[in-house]
Amino acid sequence: MSSAEIQVRDLHKSFGDNHVLRGIDLEIGQGEVVCVIGPSGSGKSTLLRCVNLLEEPTKGQVFVGGTELTDPDVDIDAVRRRIGMVFQQFNLFPHLNVTENLTLPQRRVLGRDRATAARTAAENLARVGLAEKAQAYPSSLSGGQQQRVAIARALAMGPEVMLFDEPTSALDPELVGDVLAVMRRLAEEGMTMMVVTHEMTFAREVADRVVFMDGGVIVEEGSPGQVIGAPRHERTRHFLSRLLDPAMAEVEEEASDQVGKPGE
Amino acid sequence: MTDTGVRLQPKKKGLTRRQRRGLSRAVQYAVFAAAVIAFAVAADWGRLKNQFAQGSIAKQMFPEVITLALKNTVLYTLSGFVVGLVLGMVIALMRLSSVGPYRWVAGVYIEIFRGLPALLIFIFVGVAVPLAFPGTEIPGGTYGKVAIALGLVSAAYMAETIRAGIQAVPKGQTEAARSLGFSPARAMVSIIVPQAFRIILPPLTNELVLLFKDSSLVLFLGVTLEERELSKYGRDLASTTANSTPILVAGLCYLLVTIPLGYVVRRMESRSQEAIR
């Protein structure tokens, strides 16, 4: 076993006839920040969700911290405690206030006592700059604040790995910065992170490695400067040009990007 | 009124639309007024008052109608509601189970008990069961029997309501809970069910109102004097006094509870509507 924190081997995932992942091999080392980019329907979110087994892979293996998640006998709840996940739609618990969102999982899952859980919650809220919102309910927070609470909730469990599934895609543009700042700080602190994102600036500046996916396979991967700055593959160049300058895109035949499901 | 709009229309034969609307409204008021007048004239007010609103008889009912009859009605209702809620919760979870036989049993239960009249179930619990299993006694006497009969009836409805509530909680909530390390059962208990109950609080309260009325079926179980609830109490008194005033008073006692509850339900519904927006 290598020292990789996350290891994915020959991963396949089908939804019925739809072959979304077609053989993914990926390793993420400890403390590494990897951004996964690619067009919608390329399978990048599915890949991320396979890493903590929210989606059951059709074939292949996933290891996190040396434990094989795809082993049918593994205690998946125990492994997931070590993997934090942040969703596009935040998924805060609306019936609980911010502090309770952070303390309930600690107490129910980790069995921490009330005082310890509350202390950890306060620390992590401060970490995402929302200490003053401790008593607020999620519905009274902006999207950016909700997402930062969601990050704090995952961090409060003391994960070794953090997964981000398009964490800023549901946010108003002016709120994206706050969330990215929190993620950038987390990366600087040495957290192992796997981030599915469309934020090229973030990927360029924060990621150690960028993975470009299309059609359920990894097309190319490498340093941000390499993949975003000087892509070797035509598909990567095409994707980046559309993303970086959407106004310049030409109306084209649909055949080229008819892979996977439309819209995630 | 949008007079200008009407004036701009080309002239047509007969009434304008505005005139027709006015005429229709006048006719509706006229019919209503005629019905009220006809009733007022035709009714024998003295007799009605004598039969339904005799102050002395009504006075004689207090305080027993409250301290005994209403109290028992509330007790029967609440005990039935609790049994129904617990049983309904179990059946709802069975209905959502990944184990086939549980789903089937729950489905059969719901189909049967939704389809049977509540009265039949009262007779079943009160008469058929003791006859079929001699020697067995339902604990709690009449109270136990009523709790079970009302519980059996309401569980079927509540199970469907609870199931719908659980399914109305977004899938992302389960995913968030699971990704934090909650087991499926814990995620259900700590995260999903509390949210489901917020969603179904109005229909559950409606169910409480229905049960409150159904508790009158205790009448058919044969109860002691101390166990009488509103309907039985009212009927007994109506026959001893040969007067209908006790029925009216009992009815008012039901409304005393059901109307405020209905108001609470409407308040909750409009509030949850706002929360969705």
Side-chain angles (χ1 to χ4, degrees):
Chain A
M1 183 70 46
S2 71
S3 66
E5 190 69 29
I6 300 176
Q7 195 174 21
V8 175
R9 281 191 203 155
D10 190 32
L11 192 74
H12 290 258
K13 174 67 185 176
S14 303
F15 295 100
D17 291 338
N18 191 0
H19 208 160
V20 179
L21 297 180
R22 301 161 179 259
I24 302 283
D25 287 282
L26 182 68
E27 281 195 11
I28 298 178
Q30 197 173 0
E32 202 179 7
V33 177
V34 172
C35 282
V36 183
I37 62 172
S40 65
S42 60
K44 54 194 192 306
S45 280
T46 307
L47 170 62
L48 192 81
R49 290 163 61 85
C50 279
V51 171
N52 72 351
L53 237 65
L54 275 184
E55 301 289 355
E56 191 92 38
T58 315
K59 188 184 150 215
Q61 290 172 302
V62 176
F63 297 86
V64 173
T67 312
E68 185 187 347
L69 274 73
T70 35
D71 176 0
D73 291 327
V74 80
D75 179 357
I76 189 66
D77 298 325
V79 187
R80 281 188 180 136
R81 281 167 218 164
R82 315 208 309 251
I83 310 172
M85 174 117 179
V86 175
F87 298 85
Q88 184 178 349
Q89 298 296 339
F90 329 134
N91 292 346
L92 292 180
F93 305 133
H95 61 302
L96 304 175
N97 72 23
V98 166
T99 298
E100 290 161 347
N101 260 280
L102 270 69
T103 52
L104 185 81
Q106 293 183 62
R107 295 179 59 203
R108 291 277 184 281
V109 176
L110 303 177
R112 287 185 184 154
D113 62 73
R114 192 183 290 268
T116 313
R119 187 153 23 84
T120 316
E123 282 166 15
N124 282 289
L125 282 178
R127 215 164 153 189
V128 300
L130 286 172
E132 81 280 12
K133 295 288 185 189
Q135 299 308 316
Y137 276 84
S139 56
S140 69
L141 301 180
S142 73
Q145 290 169 333
Q146 288 191 51
Q147 192 61 295
R148 281 145 70 199
V149 172
I151 294 172
R153 180 176 68 179
L155 291 176
M157 306 295 283
E160 295 155 20
V161 173
M162 286 285 285
L163 308 177
F164 294 85
D165 187 4
E166 303 199 28
T168 57
S169 297
L171 298 179
D172 290 334
E174 77 272 20
L175 303 174
V176 168
D178 292 337
V179 173
L180 292 182
V182 168
M183 291 168 62
R184 183 190 299 258
R185 170 114 61 94
L186 204 55
E188 284 162 4
E189 289 169 9
M191 177 64 77
T192 308
M193 292 163 65
M194 182 170 171
V195 186
V196 169
T197 187
H198 290 295
E199 298 293 333
M200 285 308 129
T201 320
F202 178 82
R204 199 196 295 265
E205 292 174 10
V206 180
D208 298 307
R209 194 145 50 95
V210 173
V211 172
F212 174 72
M213 279 181 72
D214 195 11
V217 295
I218 292 176
V219 176
E220 69 176 293
E221 59 177 296
S223 71
Q226 205 180 318
V227 176
I228 299 174
R232 279 171 292 149
H233 286 261
E234 174 54 32
R235 272 146 97 188
T236 320
R237 274 198 290 274
H238 183 71
F239 169 73
L240 287 169
S241 70
R242 304 201 94 192
L243 195 69
L244 298 175
D245 205 352
M248 292 306 291
E250 303 280 332
V251 176
E252 54 189 281
E253 296 293 318
E254 281 294 317
S256 63
D257 46 25
Q258 276 302 295
V259 186
K261 52 187 173 153
E264 282 158 299
Chain B
M1 288 288 126
T2 54
D3 277 9
T4 46
V6 173
R7 225 175 284 138
L8 289 174
Q9 299 279 328
K11 281 263 179 199
K12 276 193 213 152
K13 272 186 231 163
L15 298 173
T16 66
R17 203 193 296 178
R18 183 168 57 98
Q19 285 167 329
R20 244 181 293 148
R21 201 162 47 211
L23 184 65
S24 155
R25 184 167 293 200
V27 168
Q28 291 180 51
Y29 274 113
V31 169
F32 180 76
V36 171
I37 290 166
F39 179 73
V41 170
D44 183 342
W45 288 105
R47 202 186 144 94
L48 276 179
K49 182 175 180 306
N50 208 15
Q51 189 55 236
F52 282 106
Q54 275 209 10
S56 60
I57 295 179
K59 212 174 278 170
Q60 174 193 330
M61 292 174 74
F62 287 91
E64 229 186 8
V65 68
I66 303 288
T67 57
L68 177 81
L70 183 60
K71 187 200 81 181
N72 273 337
T73 294
V74 169
L75 269 180
Y76 290 143
T77 308
L78 288 182
S79 56
F81 187 76
V82 169
V83 171
L85 194 62
V86 172
L87 194 58
M89 186 78 218
V90 170
I91 292 167
L93 291 176
M94 283 171 69
R95 194 110 160 86
L96 294 169
S97 165
S98 54
V99 181
Y102 284 149
R103 285 200 306 275
W104 307 329
V105 169
V108 167
Y109 179 94
I110 289 168
E111 290 308 327
I112 289 179
F113 282 89
R114 268 202 315 198
L116 291 178
L119 176 55
L120 206 68
I121 294 167
F122 267 85
I123 294 171
F124 179 77
V125 170
V127 182
V129 168
L131 285 180
F133 307 97
T136 57
E137 190 142 327
I138 294 171
T142 306
Y143 291 97
K145 282 183 196 166
V146 177
I148 287 174
L150 282 180
L152 286 175
V153 177
S154 58
Y157 291 96
M158 288 204 238
E160 283 296 87
T161 308
I162 294 169
R163 180 188 57 80
I166 288 173
Q167 289 180 329
V169 176
K171 206 166 178 318
Q173 293 291 312
T174 311
E175 291 185 348
R178 294 305 308 277
S179 74
L180 286 161
F182 282 83
S183 67
R186 247 195 207 138
M188 184 62 92
V189 171
S190 303
I191 305 296
I192 306 303
V193 168
Q195 292 186 54
F197 266 92
R198 279 173 185 230
I199 298 171
I200 62 173
L201 209 53
L204 275 191
T205 314
N206 260 332
E207 184 62 30
L208 188 64
V209 172
L210 291 180
L211 274 187
F212 192 70
K213 297 187 289 176
D214 278 351
S215 67
S216 61
L217 295 169
V218 174
L219 200 75
F220 294 91
L221 281 183
V223 294
T224 66
L225 287 180
E226 288 306 304
E227 292 167 348
R228 286 179 302 174
E229 42 65 68
L230 279 173
S231 293
K232 170 82 171 153
Y233 182 83
R235 197 181 74 157
D236 284 1
L237 223 70
S239 52
T240 53
T241 57
N243 187 281
S244 302
T245 307
I247 304 283
L248 188 83
V249 174
L252 288 175
C253 287
Y254 278 108
L255 296 180
L256 203 66
V257 174
T258 53
I259 290 176
L261 268 182
Y263 174 76
V264 168
V265 171
R266 280 193 301 280
R267 275 292 297 274
M268 286 191 296
E269 275 171 348
S270 66
R271 225 174 350 148
S272 61
Q273 285 282 306
E274 277 165 31
I276 288 165
R277 261 175 237 150

